[in-house]
Amino acid sequence: SHFSLCSVSSVQDETMDKMKFKKCSQIAFYRRQKLLHPGKSLYRALLDSVTLSNDNVKFQIINEENKVPLLVEIYEIEGNIFRVKINEVAPLRTRYEVPDVLIKEPTTKRLSVTQKETNILVLTSTNEDHKLHITANPFQIELESKDETILSMNSSGLLYFEHLQLTPKNRCGTGSAKENQEDLGLWQEVFGSFLDVKASGPSSVGLDFSLHGFEHIYGIPEHAETLLLKNTSDDDAYRLYNLDIYGHKIHDKIGIYGSVPFLLAHKPNRTLGIFWLNSSETLVDISTKAVMEVRGTQGSLVPQTDVRWMSESGIIDVFLLMGPTAFDIFKQYAQLTGTQALPPFFSLGYHQCRWNYEDEQDVKSVDAGFDQHDIPYDVMWLDIEHTEGKRYFTWDKKRFRNPRRMQELLRKKKRKLVVIIDPHIKIDPAYTIYSQGKSKDYFVKDRNGKDFEGVCWPGSSCYLDFTNPEVREWYADLFAFQTYKGSTDILFVWNDMNEPSIFKGAELTMQKDAVHHGGWEHREVHNLYGFYQQMATAEGLIKRSGGEERPFVLTRSFFAGSQKYGAVWTGDNTADWSYLKISIPMLLTLSMVGISFCGADVGGFIGNPEPELLVRWYQAGAYQPFFRGHASLNSKRREPWLFGEKNTQIIREAIRERYSLLPYLYTLFYRTHAEAEPVMRPLWVEFPEEVETFGVEDEYMLGKALLVYPVTEQAATEVDVLLPGSDEVRISKNIQSLIPVFQRGGSIILLKTAVGKSTEWMTDISYELRVALDSKDSAVGELYLDDGHSFQYLHKKQFLYRKFTFHENMLSSSCADGNGQYSTKCGVERVLILGVRQQPTSAIVNYQDGKNKDIIFTYDDKTSTLTLEKLLLNVGTNWEIYLK
Ligand code: NOJ
């Protein structure tokens, strides 16, 4: 009953089952690569061809079967990174290399050849710490660090590279019969009623890596999966392909909205990173096993994880991040792709969203509800219904007649507005964005050169080609206040549906044979589409402010480097306990791959959470980086005060805790922006030698100082929290209203002593310093502060970065970065010192000007807490407090 491929002309069949997504075995390039079996490689290196320059080492390898030569380039990059590129020596057409993701051409170092024989070439890094052993036949590369083999490439012989070929003339002839038989999908591929015509033919690439001694593997979001990557089996690889899967299941390796092809491996003394820079559909196989390692006469079983990357097209371009610590890896990755943009302060507050807040009156009353119930919040959100028929950048004339008036109301409350702006453009000649896009030829094309048409919220739509820099520039200009009518400077943006989502498309996304700027097929750039939209949006918001103000843009789809443009959320989760639970490993995974500003919809987008779940979700969300309540069109109203006084009280308390913690959180965001330290981090990152932490995903660290264990169990009466370095503690008291959060001994955090209606109301509220002593009676911490909204911290160095130290009974405030200056009236009013063994007899403060003063204090010997009160210490000046 096979129909002839050549006769398929209608691409989109209306009857396509909405929920149909491919299994791996339905992906042709996966099937083709799987025909290779681990064993001897098909490739041999031609070591005679080696050339060495300041930049790299190059040589050719040849496929013994088809004799097609490939060029291998090996680079050492500053900061303990190696890069391996493999491309055809003479491709028929240029193969796609991912642009715009690396923030700059990496700075290379000169490798040296330290051994060269017929079958072996040894390259040594500048500092001599690393050696690359290249074996010619069969071709493989081993990476050694100080005599320990860390990683090998192509040791399973799975290097795979489909060279570009001439289009077979008569595809429907005998060749295609053979193709059908073997089901290789070389020149075209069918899925359901969809035909994908491959203009360039097969172009898949793949490579295997063996990670010696490693069994704990992380990263490669986005999957609704555990923190630790699982072993894959046939037909069940981790998929990196941005898809809009409504009601996605959990514990599934199918790709959802975003992809970051970056994987981390950890063992007690070392962390390693592999960044596979490819934006086409990618599958990753993971297999951990024990292997016999022989040293001298002794043999022992050690773990080894084999990781196999397979991409549909492009080239092999892989970065090996050598750590050795997790924090080194985060820095190395940031050196390549950039760090998290520093968010405007307001965006760390609570966000109130729903699909939809109906009209201006609705917005007004929800906004007032927060004040009535004494719950702080910063941002009101408007979903797609605020527009005129899903024409983005417009307002529904009936519901939102006067958007400026509405924004003035919010502005008076010192709050912001976020509106949704999706990438699909309604086909309507009367809609300026469509007609301009059309006349400027800014839409993605189908394989026949016509504007690609797909169905999304507005009905038939075209899709802006954000891969084109000219389109991005034009798009950015649409955010100018005079162009975007009804927008003001308190309006920020949410980019959704940017996988891109296409309701009647293959797997609900764009045909892979659609064509982008430069003639590139969609298959090459698929995973970059959302990345580019967010980039253009962020640039637009910066531009509209004359380059002064930091943007806030939330995106659903993302790629490596998206952290530079704003925040990411995990999409359409379900109001079910299991989705609350999985939000933690999902966010930890995003955090490890550079996307620190991430969150999951509080309450669960789909369905209706029971009050207990909603309350628990607020408690968890309050300690996650991006904190937004959201609900679907079909969900009942669930503003925080709708579930009775008791629940309102607990939610209020959770949100208020969040707000008092903001000085600490903002400091963490500065650290992630400046130093690439994730805000939310798995325990193992902070306790890299404690094996029992390696798989923990129900608790995590917020910065270095706080350990958070959100309760995600229904009707919990107690929780057991693992405290690394000590034991487990069981918590049962007040468990209903409690968020178990622990401050780590040795840390100092700053909090606000009170909260306000929104972050902007809190600027002048004083600080509390919370000192938790370690076993040596010491502690350190810091505070970052700036105006919270502009780029002055960067361009004019208007910031404060302060350090607080407790050591030998003295608490001191000092400068942590002399380059910054920012004046604040804000003082430290209270100091809490936890873990003080004995009541001091006196406490004296020394001011910068040499004056000193006695301080009033109280000591609680039950909790070993010393409280210093009624202080008036400026956070921006130096002072010391002595305890005697
Ligand atoms: C899908 C998004 O994931 C969801 O958050 C949003 O409410 C709907 N699209 C409608 O815009």
Side-chain angles (χ1 to χ4, degrees):
S1 70
H2 255 87
F3 52 87
S4 151
L5 291 177
C6 274
S7 67
V8 177
S9 57
S10 146
V11 174
Q12 292 174 1
D13 185 340
E14 308 267 324
T15 61
M16 164 78 180
D17 176 2
K18 256 198 150 192
M19 292 309 293
K20 263 237 162 113
F21 295 95
K22 289 182 185 172
K23 291 189 288 203
C24 295
S25 59
Q26 290 170 298
I27 300 167
F29 78 84
Y30 174 84
R31 288 198 304 272
R32 297 199 299 272
Q33 293 220 19
K34 285 285 173 163
L35 293 177
L36 270 186
H37 289 290
K40 189 170 177 283
S41 175
L42 292 176
Y43 286 90
R44 173 166 59 89
L46 308 174
L47 292 182
D48 292 343
S49 66
V50 172
T51 61
L52 181 71
S53 73
N54 278 341
D55 232 23
N56 60 18
V57 171
K58 295 188 199 179
F59 55 89
Q60 295 190 5
I61 57 176
I62 189 159
N63 183 311
E64 299 278 27
E65 276 176 5
N66 61 24
K67 303 294 176 206
V68 175
L70 303 178
L71 180 68
V72 178
E73 297 172 284
I74 301 179
Y75 300 75
E76 181 184 354
I77 293 169
E78 203 174 63
N80 254 352
I81 303 172
F82 295 92
R83 179 183 197 175
V84 178
K85 283 176 90 169
I86 306 181
N87 197 353
E88 292 178 55
V89 171
L92 205 56
R93 285 169 290 274
T94 312
R95 298 181 67 117
Y96 191 73
E97 297 189 35
V98 178
D100 302 314
V101 167
L102 299 182
I103 53 172
K104 59 173 186 39
E105 200 46 51
T107 314
T108 54
K109 293 176 123 187
R110 193 185 170 94
L111 284 162
S112 42
V113 173
T114 47
Q115 193 184 337
K116 193 176 173 208
E117 287 159 37
T118 18
N119 197 36
I120 196 130
L121 176 72
V122 180
L123 307 176
T124 302
S125 67
T126 358
N127 65 3
E128 297 186 2
D129 278 357
H130 295 101
K131 283 193 166 60
L132 291 136
H133 283 254
I134 298 153
T135 312
N137 197 10
F139 169 59
Q140 83 174 60
I141 304 180
E142 289 196 335
L143 184 45
E144 242 180 40
S145 168
K146 298 187 174 145
D147 297 329
E148 181 192 350
T149 304
I150 305 293
L151 163 154
S152 16
M153 282 170 271
N154 200 33
S155 50
S156 306
L158 298 170
L159 168 59
Y160 187 84
F161 209 106
E162 292 173 339
H163 63 281
L164 300 180
Q165 302 166 54
L166 287 170
T167 320
K169 286 229 178 58
N170 193 351
R171 239 189 282 150
C172 281
T174 48
S176 128
K178 185 169 168 251
E179 178 183 318
N180 262 344
Q181 223 178 49
E182 295 173 12
D183 209 11
L184 295 179
L186 297 174
W187 295 91
Q188 44 194 22
E189 185 171 346
V190 172
F191 176 62
S193 58
F194 296 97
L195 168 67
D196 172 18
V197 175
K198 304 180 183 182
S200 297
S203 57
S204 183
V205 299
L207 184 58
D208 64 271
F209 299 77
S210 292
L211 314 181
H212 305 288
F214 293 91
E215 55 183 323
H216 296 95
I217 315 292
Y218 311 90
I220 54 168
E222 185 174 24
H223 306 97
E225 255 297 2
T226 51
L227 182 70
L228 280 172
L229 299 186
K230 294 172 174 164
N231 274 0
T232 56
S233 49
D234 260 354
D235 201 16
D236 191 29
Y238 281 94
R239 190 168 179 207
L240 294 170
Y241 191 59
N242 299 349
L243 291 173
D244 174 11
I245 308 189
Y246 182 81
H248 66 259
K249 292 199 298 261
I250 57 174
H251 298 298
D252 196 334
K253 302 192 190 79
I254 193 162
I256 50 177
Y257 318 100
S259 299
V260 182
F262 176 41
L263 170 146
L264 295 93
H266 179 69
K267 59 184 178 179
N269 58 352
R270 174 179 283 276
T271 314
L272 179 78
I274 300 179
F275 174 36
W276 176 265
L277 181 51
N278 191 303
S279 52
S280 69
E281 178 172 6
T282 296
L283 296 165
V284 186
D285 266 345
I286 310 272
S287 152
T288 300
K289 58 194 181 204
V291 295
M292 186 61 79
E293 194 183 78
V294 186
R295 276 177 186 257
T297 54
Q298 298 282 304
S300 59
L301 281 175
V302 290
Q304 172 180 316
T305 299
D306 295 336
V307 178
R308 178 180 186 184
W309 297 81
M310 294 161 269
S311 290
E312 182 172 9
S313 57
I315 63 163
I316 292 176
D317 189 0
V318 64
F319 295 83
L320 308 171
L321 282 52
M322 299 308 293
T325 71
F327 287 98
D328 294 331
I329 300 277
F330 301 142
K331 275 226 173 73
Q332 287 153 2
Y333 180 69
Q335 192 189 316
L336 299 171
T337 66
T339 62
Q340 177 66 57
L342 184 64
F345 198 87
F346 79 81
S347 63
L348 301 187
Y350 172 64
H351 299 255
Q352 183 64 33
C353 189
R354 123 161 234 111
W355 177 18
N356 216 85
Y357 284 119
E358 296 294 333
D359 52 23
E360 184 176 340
Q361 186 47 46
D362 197 7
V363 168
K364 227 168 147 170
S365 74
V366 172
D367 174 82
F370 279 91
D371 296 332
Q372 272 151 29
H373 295 91
D374 206 15
I375 301 173
Y377 99 105
D378 264 75
V379 194
M380 189 70 203
W381 288 56
L382 293 179
D383 209 320
I384 47 176
E385 315 296 333
H386 83 277
T387 60
E388 199 58 60
K390 283 67 169 191
R391 293 169 184 85
Y392 306 102
F393 299 94
T394 70
W395 304 84
D396 182 303
K397 285 183 204 64
K398 281 201 211 79
R399 300 147 170 261
F400 296 96
R401 250 187 50 222
N402 198 338
R404 285 183 154 269
R405 178 178 63 199
M406 178 178 65
Q407 288 166 76
E408 287 321 309
L409 172 112
L410 290 171
R411 182 197 304 283
K412 273 206 203 88
K413 300 277 197 81
K414 304 191 199 248
R415 287 173 180 145
K416 318 287 181 207
L417 179 70
V418 167
V419 297
I420 198 165
I421 299 199
D422 290 355
H424 48 260
I425 304 295
K426 184 179 175 68
I427 299 183
D428 170 9
Y431 175 33
T432 328
I433 295 185
Y434 173 75
S435 57
Q436 279 190 20
K438 175 93 189 154
S439 66
K440 291 175 185 290
D441 207 14
Y442 281 170
F443 296 118
V444 180
K445 300 280 180 290
D446 66 19
R447 69 164 105 90
N448 300 314
K450 297 207 202 68
D451 284 350
F452 175 91
E453 285 183 24
V455 175
C456 207
W457 301 126
S460 270
S461 304
C462 286
Y463 289 75
L464 286 167
D465 184 4
F466 295 105
T467 67
N468 180 351
E470 196 184 311
V471 174
R472 294 201 298 274
E473 209 179 308
W474 168 82
Y475 192 73
D477 286 332
L478 297 179
F479 293 92
F481 297 118
Q482 68 275 20
T483 310
Y484 187 174
K485 301 286 181 236
S487 70
T488 76
D489 62 354
I490 68 152
L491 175 148
F492 297 86
V493 181
W494 170 19
N495 290 155
D496 185 22
M497 311 300 276
N498 50 356
E499 295 70 29
S501 175
I502 292 169
F503 293 159
K504 291 172 183 167
E507 298 197 273
L508 302 193
T509 193
M510 192 173 270
Q511 287 280 127
K512 284 176 170 173
D513 54 16
V515 181
H516 289 259
H517 176 64
W520 295 111
E521 278 188 303
H522 185 68
R523 92 182 71 252
E524 309 281 358
V525 301
H526 175 79
N527 286 343
L528 281 173
Y529 189 79
F531 167 95
Y532 276 129
Q533 189 199 12
Q534 192 191 22
M535 175 198 273
T537 305
E539 275 163 14
L541 296 188
I542 296 171
K543 246 184 171 176
R544 72 168 187 189
S545 75
E548 298 282 318
E549 298 293 313
R550 288 179 238 164
F552 170 77
V553 185
L554 178 75
T555 184
R556 191 170 72 178
S557 186
F558 55 87
F559 190 68
S562 288
Q563 66 271 14
K564 296 189 288 293
Y565 310 117
V568 163
W569 100 107
T570 59
D572 297 344
N573 54 2
T574 299
D576 184 271
W577 290 90
S578 57
Y579 286 80
L580 167 59
K581 228 186 239 289
I582 203 87
S583 75
I584 303 166
M586 288 180 77
L587 298 178
L588 285 171
T589 300
L590 285 170
S591 302
M592 278 189 280
V593 303
I595 300 176
S596 263
F597 200 11
C598 56
D601 283 338
V602 167
F605 174 73
I606 302 170
N608 298 301
E610 52 186 304
E612 188 201 354
L613 174 59
L614 183 68
V615 165
R616 286 303 191 197
W617 217 315
Y618 269 102
Q619 293 181 326
Y623 285 85
Q624 293 175 351
F626 173 64
F627 182 27
R628 180 180 81 157
H630 184 33
S632 157
L633 201 64
N634 315 315
S635 304
K636 295 194 191 109
R637 285 286 182 140
R638 56 166 96 136
E639 286 70 47
W641 49 85
L642 295 178
F643 301 89
E645 186 40 46
K646 190 166 161 258
N647 290 319
T648 308
Q649 170 56 25
I650 308 176
I651 295 174
R652 175 190 299 124
E653 203 35 59
I655 298 181
R656 292 171 69 102
E657 266 185 44
R658 161 77 168 212
Y659 274 74
S660 55
L661 197 69
L662 287 174
Y664 176 65
L665 199 59
Y666 194 53
T667 304
L668 294 183
F669 270 95
Y670 178 68
R671 298 283 309 184
T672 193
H673 175 59
E675 305 289 336
E677 297 173 1
V679 168
M680 190 174 169
R681 27 188 112 144
L683 289 191
W684 70 262
V685 166
E686 286 291 332
F687 305 94
E689 292 184 3
E690 299 191 32
V691 182
E692 72 276 12
T693 66
F694 293 3
V696 173
E697 60 172 26
D698 51 0
E699 52 181 87
Y700 61 92
M701 297 295 292
L702 197 57
K704 273 193 180 339
L706 298 182
L707 183 147
V708 186
Y709 186 114
V711 180
T712 59
E713 214 63 62
Q714 186 171 14
T717 53
E718 56 185 32
V719 293
D720 291 320
V721 184
L722 172 72
L723 296 180
S726 47
D727 271 335
E728 254 187 25
V729 284
R730 172 159 297 179
I731 305 195
S732 52
K733 220 175 122 196
N734 290 334
I735 191 73
Q736 256 86 41
S737 57
L738 195 76
I739 315 175
V741 177
F742 298 80
Q743 187 175 345
R744 186 172 176 184
S747 70
I748 299 179
I749 63 169
L750 280 96
L751 306 128
K752 288 269 173 170
T753 54
V755 303
K757 289 182 200 302
S758 77
T759 53
E760 223 182 294
W761 292 94
M762 292 171 63
T763 318
D764 294 328
I765 293 176
S766 62
Y767 291 100
E768 172 185 310
L769 250 158
R770 208 173 279 178
V771 182
L773 299 181
D774 64 11
S775 53
K776 295 189 190 102
D777 295 329
S778 297
V780 289
E782 44 195 31
L783 176 75
Y784 173 81
L785 189 64
D786 61 17
D787 69 12
H789 60 84
S790 77
F791 283 111
Q792 308 264 14
Y793 78 94
L794 193 66
H795 303 321
K796 301 205 171 132
K797 300 284 171 213
Q798 292 186 3
F799 66 87
L800 264 189
Y801 193 28
R802 305 289 304 171
K803 186 174 177 180
F804 301 89
T805 312
F806 190 95
H807 189 58
E808 295 184 341
N809 284 320
M810 181 188 77
L811 174 65
S812 67
S813 154
S814 60
C815 179
D817 183 348
N819 294 322
Q821 239 159 23
Y822 184 71
S823 82
T824 167
K825 283 179 282 181
C826 219
V828 174
E829 187 186 318
R830 185 160 67 216
V831 174
L832 231 69
I833 310 178
L834 314 171
V836 177
R837 291 173 229 250
Q838 218 177 26
Q839 168 154 8
T841 52
S842 75
I844 297 169
V845 58
N846 273 358
Y847 297 102
Q848 210 162 5
D849 60 9
K851 293 202 180 99
N852 54 27
K853 209 181 112 194
D854 271 320
I855 305 174
I856 312 168
F857 63 85
T858 53
Y859 180 73
D860 179 349
D861 57 2
K862 278 202 211 76
T863 58
S864 308
T865 303
L866 182 73
T867 309
L868 313 173
E869 261 162 322
K870 302 213 174 75
L871 305 170
L872 279 172
L873 303 164
N874 192 293
V875 276
T877 63
N878 294 352
W879 41 260
E880 289 156 358
I881 294 175
Y882 291 91
L883 305 179
K884 277 198 190 115

